[in-house]
Amino acid sequence: MTGFTVIWLGQLVSLLGSGMTTFAVSIWAWEETGQATALALAMFFGFGPQVLLSPLAGAVVDRYNRKLVMILSDLAAGVSTIVLLTLFLSERLEIWHLYAANAFAGAFGSFQFPAYSAAVSVMIPKDHYGRANGMIGLAGSASGILAPVLAGALIGWIGIGGVMTIDIITFVFAIAMLLIVFIPQPEVSAEGLQARGSLWSESLFGFKYIFSRPSLLGLQLVFFFINFTAMLGFTVMAPMVLARSGSNALALSYTQSITAIGGVAGGLTMSFWGGPRRRVNGVLGGMILISLLGSIPTGIGRSVAWWAAGGFIVGFILPILNGSNQAIWQAKVKPDIQGRVFAVRRLIAQIAAPVSMLSAGPLADYIFEPAMAEGGAWTGTFGWLVGTGPGAGMGLMFLMVGFLGALIGLGGYAFPKIRYVEDIMPDHDEVPAQTAPAAT
């Protein structure tokens, strides 16, 4: 796992820089607008292109060198930060610039997930998929611990511009790590050969593959519903904490850091453990636990201790949940078509998330927050649970998300094709080998 670990280290450092910039820019956007909608739109423009371009990205990943695709993705993210830094230093940065930069980086970021995920399958043995995915989750969580704390501390010393400069340096480091590692291209299977065609037809291949396998489709539909509901809460997390703490940046940084500490603990657990023997339990059981023990306490809580406790539980379980799901797909899908299949898999799971992001801000600003303000229409019903005043409406959104998420996880267990996906679908290396004929 040496080569994979080198790449992982580069991505860890890059994620740290990106997290610092995201935190700093979120504070700037909140101070400029004072609205949850502004932060929600920033997330939407970064996330939306990643989802919508996924099928095209998957076809490109399977066609071309996966290492080069990852380098270009990192490079594009660095360019977007350079543009934001230039505008900020010239005192010309506006909120719409943030949306445009996020959309540009998100478009190229759509190639990163399928390329990175498919690279894992050809770099390490199947038995280590769960551990590798645990390390990937660990990287995101570890950066989440340090990024808010470092950004919060450094903003007063070197300013937002200095934080973004550090981010640019981390992108250079990530690219350097990719350059020194060899990532093998997968052998072409008969299935992969049959899937070849125009870029358009290859972009559609993932849909045909997944829709012809009800168990895999059902698994992703569970993610479709859980991501839709979860994003209604996650999108307003930062504005909720800022609203309830009187715009205290340290309260937000502590909450995010403790959440990330939970992610590190969960990532380490997954890295050494490899996940439950029946990985579907890690997926569906994880959804239920996150909803009941993470989202609900976050919504009810009115202090950093509550938000951090809920965040820690979410952070701890999420690497196990995602790592278990990733291991299922890496074991079932042949490596040379994983780019196309994984990209569409991501599209199905996350296509509703941008809708949630667009909805969350207006729902908070114009419905939930006014209804839970002092003397609001819903305070008599829900005030005893989430309190009243600034942030209480967004707390109620978290509470609703928790109950709905638990129901979705339980619903997944109700369908045998989802519950027994690992038994119904054979591993790709258990299917009789049918490689493509050698070129002449």
Side-chain angles (χ1 to χ4, degrees):
M1 290 183 60
T2 302
F4 167 76
T5 304
V6 170
I7 295 175
W8 173 84
L9 178 63
Q11 296 301 308
L12 168 64
V13 173
S14 177
L15 286 170
L16 174 60
S18 298
M20 291 172 62
T21 292
T22 299
F23 182 88
V25 173
S26 295
I27 298 297
W28 173 84
W30 178 258
E31 291 177 347
E32 288 289 312
T33 65
Q35 288 189 327
T37 300
L39 274 67
L41 284 173
M43 292 180 63
F44 167 78
F45 281 106
F47 188 72
Q50 291 190 40
V51 176
L52 295 177
L53 293 176
S54 287
L56 174 64
V60 170
V61 165
D62 282 341
R63 275 191 172 203
Y64 301 107
N65 186 285
R66 290 167 177 177
K67 174 177 172 177
L68 177 61
V69 171
M70 293 177 67
I71 290 174
L72 292 175
S73 179
D74 281 337
L75 185 61
V79 168
S80 68
T81 303
I82 291 172
V83 171
L84 288 178
L85 174 61
T86 303
L87 290 168
F88 179 80
L89 293 178
S90 62
E91 298 184 353
R92 297 168 59 189
L93 183 62
E94 298 179 20
I95 194 70
W96 73 266
H97 293 142
L98 179 60
Y99 302 157
N102 284 358
F104 176 79
F108 279 88
S110 65
F111 297 85
Q112 183 82 354
F113 170 76
Y116 198 6
S117 300
V120 169
S121 302
V122 294
M123 294 185 75
I124 61 176
K126 180 176 68 174
D127 291 345
H128 294 297
Y129 287 169
R131 294 181 175 87
N133 293 318
M135 289 176 65
I136 293 173
L138 174 63
S141 300
S143 65
I145 294 175
L146 297 175
V149 174
L150 287 176
L154 290 174
I155 285 175
W157 180 34
I158 61 177
I160 292 176
V163 170
M164 286 193 280
T165 301
I166 293 174
D167 187 14
I168 294 167
I169 295 172
T170 65
F171 283 121
V172 174
F173 179 79
I175 292 172
M177 294 298 99
L178 281 166
L179 288 172
I180 65 175
V181 172
F182 172 69
I183 300 178
Q185 289 294 104
E187 294 184 3
V188 180
S189 66
E191 196 169 20
L193 190 63
Q194 293 170 3
R196 286 182 177 177
S198 66
L199 191 61
W200 172 251
S201 66
E202 290 187 20
S203 298
L204 296 177
F205 172 78
F207 289 100
K208 298 175 183 176
Y209 184 94
I210 294 174
F211 276 77
S212 65
R213 292 161 174 80
S215 290
L216 293 180
L217 175 61
L219 189 63
Q220 285 314 99
L221 288 176
V222 174
F223 275 91
F224 171 90
F225 289 111
I226 198 72
N227 284 333
F228 177 79
T229 57
M231 276 298 173
L232 288 173
F234 178 77
T235 304
V236 299
M237 179 68 184
M240 183 194 75
V241 173
L242 291 171
R244 289 199 144 182
S245 65
S247 297
N248 188 335
L250 285 178
L252 178 59
S253 68
Y254 290 153
T255 300
Q256 292 182 345
S257 295
I258 296 299
T259 300
I261 289 173
V264 169
L268 285 172
T269 300
M270 188 66 179
S271 299
F272 288 105
W273 173 35
R277 186 179 64 83
R278 291 196 63 83
R279 289 164 175 160
V280 72
N281 290 331
V283 176
L284 300 178
M287 290 179 182
I288 296 169
L289 292 176
I290 281 178
S291 300
L292 294 179
L293 304 181
S295 296
I296 290 178
T298 300
I300 294 174
R302 306 173 204 180
S303 67
V304 173
W306 276 88
W307 305 324
F312 181 90
I313 293 171
V314 172
F316 181 84
I317 298 173
L318 202 56
I320 299 173
L321 189 163
N322 287 332
S324 297
N325 184 55
Q326 183 81 329
I328 290 173
W329 286 82
Q330 287 168 331
K332 306 301 180 184
V333 182
K334 289 186 179 296
D336 65 319
I337 58 172
Q338 284 185 3
R340 282 161 284 185
V341 174
F342 284 12
V344 172
R345 159 196 155 200
R346 186 184 196 188
L347 175 66
I348 295 171
Q350 299 183 348
I351 188 63
V355 178
S356 291
M357 290 178 180
L358 284 177
S359 305
L363 281 173
D365 290 333
Y366 302 113
I367 298 178
F368 281 84
E369 282 294 289
M372 294 305 297
E374 294 292 342
W378 297 350
T379 55
T381 305
F382 301 108
W384 65 279
L385 270 175
V386 298
T388 60
M394 290 181 277
L396 180 58
M397 291 174 67
F398 259 100
L399 188 66
M400 293 174 60
V401 163
F403 283 114
L404 289 173
L407 290 175
I408 291 168
L410 289 169
Y413 275 117
F415 292 91
K417 286 188 180 296
I418 300 174
R419 189 168 70 248
Y420 299 115
V421 58
E422 295 165 270
D423 303 316
I424 295 171
M425 289 289 301
D427 289 357
H428 66 75
D429 58 358
E430 295 175 354
V431 179
Q434 289 183 324
T435 57
T440 58

